[in-house]
């Protein structure tokens, strides 16, 4: 009786490697397409980058003079994590608007008729939006540093906080893609309407502890509050410690909420893409 020998691990078929290269190459082409569009429409890019600067100045120096931070501290230190989170949230409108424009102009139909992987179309949109969001976040960080905001727990925790912000943005890209494939072009401009209360009914500008009880519960369980609260604690900024369960476990929720959004909206986006025009 001969002893059994371990079989070698099966090699990955070359067709899968070729397919992956095809998807990545197509996604790279679409990323370049989106970047070229930004260079040809500099006003749109400048406006989207100027908005965070204006918000920092308005809330940091105008409204901030009347704000109090629970436990004491500089309001601008409290404010910046909230503005980081709000910018990531509003990025969903950018995704939605671009997707609806592509659908209305027939660009999406052309993509569907070309020998191009459907995964590459969505991946290219993700690459472009994540790049744009990273630039926005970088500019907003520079604005915060200019007005005196700092992180106090070292670069590792600061990078972890920025990673949580980009994770939230990545999850919201799928929301924007799904809604962009669902709503007509004329309705895209109204996407800010539901996002404003979501961004305000959170811990972005004031602590939920200063709200009425019924509003406090909603604000504390807002997914945006989880990311903002976790980032504020990682940065070491004041006013983010809270006694409630969501505030105490903000880091856990800052990971769980985006993952849940991805699990829900990624398959919805793929299914809507496949059934588009059907």
């Amino acid at each position: 009786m001969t002893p059994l020998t371990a079989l070698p691990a099966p090699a990955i078929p070359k067709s899968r490697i070729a397919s992956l290269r095809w998807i990545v190459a197509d996604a790279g082409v679409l990323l370049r397409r989106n970047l070229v569009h930004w260079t040809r429409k500099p006003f749109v890019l400048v406006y989207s980058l100027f908005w965070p600067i204006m918000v920092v100045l308005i809330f940091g120096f105008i409204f901030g003079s009347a704000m109090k931070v629970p436990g004491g501290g500089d309001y601008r230190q409290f404010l910046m994590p909230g503005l980081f989170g709000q910018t990531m949230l509003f990025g969903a409108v950018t995704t939605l608007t671009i997707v609806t424009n592509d659908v209305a102009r027939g660009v999406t139909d052309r993509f569907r008729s070309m020998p191009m992987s459907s995964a590459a179309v969505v991946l290219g949109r993700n690459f472009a939006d994540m790049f744009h969001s990273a630039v926005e976040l970088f500019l907003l960080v520079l604005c915060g540093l200019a007005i005196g905001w700092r992180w106090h727990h070292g670069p590792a925790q600061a990078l972890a906080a920025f990673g949580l912000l980009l994770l939230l943005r990545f999850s919201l890209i799928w929301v924007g893609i799904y809604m962009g494939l669902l709503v007509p072009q004329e309705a895209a401009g109204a996407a800010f309407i539901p996002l404003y209360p979501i961004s305000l009914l959170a811990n972005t500008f004031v602590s939920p502890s200063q709200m009425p009880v019924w509003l406090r519960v909603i604000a504390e369980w807002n997914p945006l509050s989880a990311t903002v609260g976790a980032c504020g604690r990682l940065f070491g900024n004041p006013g983010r410690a809270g006694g409630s369960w969501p505030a105490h476990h903000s880091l856990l929720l800052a990971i769980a909420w985006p993952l849940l959004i991805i699990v829900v909206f990624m398959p919805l986006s793929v299914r809507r893409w496949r059934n588009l025009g059907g």
Side-chain angles (χ1 to χ4, degrees), residues 19-97:
S19 177
L20 180 60
R21 289 177 178 172
W22 175 42
I23 292 173
V24 173
D26 286 347
V29 172
L30 293 175
L31 172 61
R32 288 194 296 272
R33 167 189 174 260
N34 292 315
L35 295 179
V36 168
H37 281 188
W38 284 334
T39 59
R40 292 179 178 176
K41 297 180 179 180
F43 176 78
V44 176
L45 179 61
V46 170
Y47 175 79
S48 65
L49 297 178
F50 175 74
W51 171 255
I53 300 176
M54 184 175 64
V55 171
V56 169
L57 297 177
I58 291 175
F59 283 92
F61 291 97
I62 299 177
F63 297 152
S65 59
M67 297 290 188
K68 293 183 180 180
V69 179
D74 184 4
Y75 179 72
R76 286 191 288 273
Q77 298 287 327
F78 173 88
L79 172 68
M80 291 310 302
L83 290 182
F84 295 155
Q86 186 189 56
T87 301
M88 297 299 100
L89 176 67
F90 284 170
V93 179
T94 302
T95 303
L96 186 152
T97 303

Side-chain angles (χ1 to χ4, degrees), residues 100-265:
T100 54
N101 287 339
D102 283 348
V103 172
R105 293 182 300 170
V107 176
T108 302
D109 289 335
R110 287 198 293 272
F111 286 157
R112 288 163 54 85
S113 65
M114 294 171 64
M116 176 184 295
S117 169
S118 59
V121 179
V122 179
L123 195 60
R125 178 76 268 142
N126 275 270
F127 285 167
D129 285 355
M130 289 301 293
F131 176 80
H132 185 266
S133 298
V135 172
E136 274 190 312
L137 185 58
F138 176 74
L139 183 60
L140 199 55
V141 169
L142 293 181
C143 294
L145 294 174
I147 66 171
W149 171 80
R150 297 291 185 272
W151 60 78
H152 305 282
H153 288 167
Q157 293 198 41
L159 289 175
F162 293 135
L164 290 177
L165 290 164
L166 292 175
L167 175 63
L168 176 66
R169 178 67 183 101
F170 178 74
S171 69
L172 294 174
I173 288 175
W174 295 103
V175 179
I177 291 175
Y178 175 68
M179 296 304 298
L181 295 173
L182 190 66
V183 303
Q185 184 182 21
E186 56 270 17
F192 270 113
I193 296 176
L195 287 185
Y196 268 115
I198 292 175
S199 68
L200 294 176
L201 191 54
N203 59 0
T204 47
F205 300 110
V206 296
S207 171
S209 62
Q210 299 172 303
M211 301 179 184
V213 175
W214 65 277
L215 279 179
R216 182 188 312 163
V217 174
I218 298 174
E220 287 176 339
W221 284 97
N222 187 332
L224 179 61
S225 293
T227 297
V228 172
C231 290
R233 296 177 70 173
L234 289 171
F235 288 138
N237 297 145
R240 298 296 178 185
S244 65
W245 193 95
H248 187 68
H249 296 85
S250 58
L251 181 58
L252 173 64
L253 291 175
I255 298 174
W257 274 121
L259 292 180
L260 179 60
I261 294 172
I262 293 171
V263 167
V264 172
F265 282 94

